[in-house]
Amino acid sequence: MLKYVLGFVAGMVVVLLAAFLWVRFGFINPQADIPENALEKGIATPALDAAVDRRAPDTTNPIQPTEDNLQAGMKIYQANCASCHGDIQQPDGMLVGALHPRAPQFL
């Protein structure tokens, strides 16, 4: 029984090490203009979603939604974010075709 358990543990270690080395030595294509691979779709995206869900309820916005703050925020958004995320005049941002996965559209 002990040999079986040790063999199982050794097999798991080898599989995990092989997966780590596969990623570490660059066998996964990091280009942003190709569809997500199975690893990214199955592990990375759900892990990111879970991390955001875990931390989002604990955060509060320190900025009050006054007229001045909203105007300043819109200027920052137009200058830094609208080219990817779109705005009222151009719902699909100028760079939407260059991003994969597509940037969320906030309208």
Side-chain angles (χ1 to χ4, degrees):
M1 180 68 177
L2 181 62
K3 287 183 180 180
Y4 174 77
V5 171
L6 289 177
F8 180 77
V9 169
M12 292 301 293
V13 167
V14 167
V15 167
L16 291 173
L17 181 62
F20 171 76
L21 292 174
W22 185 265
V23 173
R24 177 64 178 91
F25 288 126
F27 289 106
I28 293 179
N29 192 342
Q31 290 177 305
D33 60 350
I34 60 172
E36 303 91 8
N37 59 38
L39 179 67
E40 186 176 2
K41 206 178 273 187
I43 296 173
T45 301
L48 176 63
D49 291 342
V52 170
D53 289 344
R54 179 176 299 126
R55 289 165 181 82
D58 298 334
T59 60
T60 57
N61 189 352
I63 308 293
Q64 295 300 317
T66 64
E67 187 66 31
D68 291 337
N69 288 342
L70 293 174
Q71 290 291 333
M74 183 51 93
K75 288 178 184 175
I76 292 171
Y77 180 86
Q78 284 298 123
N80 300 310
C81 308
S83 60
C84 296
H85 296 283
D87 61 12
I88 293 172
Q89 287 80 28
Q90 190 172 7
D92 289 331
M94 294 183 305
L95 301 176
V96 73
L99 301 174
H100 190 81
R102 181 185 164 115
Q105 304 301 291
F106 295 134
L107 294 179

